[in-house]
Amino acid sequence: MVRTEGTRKMGRIRWVAGALLLLAFLAGPGSARGEERWNVPRDLGRLASEAPSLAAFPESPGVVWLREARYSLLADGTLERGERWLILAGEKLPESWSLWRVPVPQGGSALVEEAAWYNPMTGQKEGALSPRRVSGSGVDLLEVRIPPEAAGRVVALSTVQRFPGRTNVEGVLFLALDLPVWEQVIRVDVPGDKLLHWSGKGVGEPQKTSDRGADRYEWTVRNQAPWQGGSLVEDRRPTLAFSLRKGLVGALASLGDVEAGFRTIPLPSSWSSVGRSPNVAQRGDKLIQHLAGVPALPGLPWDLIRSGPPELGPWTEGERTLLAASWLRKLGWNVAVWWQPLLPVKEDGPATDRLWRRPVLELSAPGVKETFFFPGQAAALGQLAPNLYGQTLYRLEGTKVLSRELPRGDAKDHRLSVRWDYVLSELGVGEGTLEMTVRGAWVDLLAPEGIPGRDDLDGWIARRLLLSGPRLSFKNSSVETLATGFRVRSQVRGALGIVQGADQLLRLPTAVPAALENLLKTPAPYHLRFPFVLEQNVSLTLPPGYEMLSSPPLAKGEGPLQQKLLVWPKKGALEAENRWTVKGGSVDASRARSLGEQLVQVLRTLEQGIPLRRR
């Protein structure tokens, strides 16, 4: 399923295969491998007394009671992958969990064996889900939607996919999801004369058993906390990777074949104007603009690259990048294709295509200096993408593995600037504007799913930021894309002052990333993802006749944290500035204490009050 796994080189399935698949659905669910049919009530009976309820995770929209993944190699070299899920659904399952997409592999098949919801106490089926076939843009999917009426029930889903011609048992699974997972079982069956290579984080050694010339590797993971992400501290997500092959050469070899297949795809005839400019650099700029205007296919596996994508899109992220590589070459640009790993790779680690997050292009042309780029990145051409800072890229040249470590950047490259322009009333209510500029790696940290749209700004601010004041309301919000990030502007209103007679206790409007709190919770030693600058500026117009009685303690001098607070009574104006500069790299116990003290001072601005009095 798209939640965990994907496939490469997918195209339109033959009509005959589609008809057979439809007949399979009409015949009803059944085991594709001749295994024992899934006894859902039996598993529910066991898990109902073991697994936690929704009350144990009040902030989670659901709990995964059971996740099973099964991998095996059939006699003809076909890789078969099966998945089973039992999900205790809350009232507001997000779209990523309520809509399931099962890709149909090219020349292979996909089947939904079970799709229903059950009463968790009685084990009785109370509703069936109807899979539907969706074909569009060259991608064939089986879709299952979980309806709102399944809230409070356990949803059971079982799928099987077959990938012909793989001749390898391989996969990469995230063990930590955005929902808590009570029990996970991963079973990998391989021929007895083959050795399975694997690596993982958050998972122990597998249990290995042998039967009738085949070996089974089985991992069990229990009580896996949800993966939050969005931390300033480097922390690799719990993951399991495995393959019958090993080594970086094997992991990169098939990618060269994928790239070669795109070299023959001609530039769309409707884009013929792209190549008319006599300037090579301008031709490439026009092409990149065209590519940026083609929407990406959402909700698909990260590694999905079809061998024959439609001429005018839409395309997956990887397809768009490889098309850009092919077409930029045709326009006279120098292009090398590198691959960004999904997780740290090792020379003798498992070799699977799924280790790679995306292709990245190394580009140059007359008048264009060497740069790394992929279409859709949250930075202009010539600027390093936020999610590429500090990354090591790989590619294969013949049989030699080449690597390239990209710069982490300086603190000034990763700047988060917040500016408030406010007018304070005698009633303690503030009205004004918030302008937040996000640059560099802050973009990837605060908006890993992409620059937020206007409709979701309020929710995005609430999820990503710690805000001062009991409640701030935002309206007329807008987003502006910048060369190295984006800028959010909002009209803001909220209570800032506590009024008592002629006095007010003012709390300055403040917004700091919620990710900062992780620095106080993470024990040393640890490693920061990137160096950064955090700036906060407040320009406040006071009510007529008010003055500040005393100033709160401030960090002054030339240290990493600098704070200023200035008041001009005659102008009725207050200006506050905060600037925190943090270098990246390793953090030992001594540095962790220092950073903690500075962070406490930064967060204190959310709580401390400034006494005001009317003259």
Side-chain angles (χ1 to χ4, degrees), residues 431-448:
E431 290 189 84
T433 59
L434 163 68
E435 180 180 284
M436 182 167 60
T437 304
V438 186
R439 303 180 182 91
W442 281 111
V443 177
D444 189 42
L445 184 67
L446 296 180

Side-chain angles (χ1 to χ4, degrees), residues 170 197 199 241 243-256 338-357 392-404:
E170 59 180 336
H197 307 279
S199 65
S243 174
L244 292 179
R245 306 183 182 118
K246 71 173 182 176
L248 283 174
V249 173
L252 289 163
S254 62
L255 301 180
W338 296 79
W339 294 86
Q340 178 186 358
L342 181 71
L343 57 147
V345 296
K346 299 179 180 179
E347 184 62 40
D348 59 348
T352 168
D353 293 353
R354 303 220 74 220
L355 285 174
W356 308 104
R357 172 64 185 87
T392 299
L393 308 180
Y394 299 85
R395 69 184 181 93
L396 198 61
E397 193 172 274
T399 58
K400 183 180 180 181
V401 176
L402 304 180
S403 63
R404 182 77 173 268

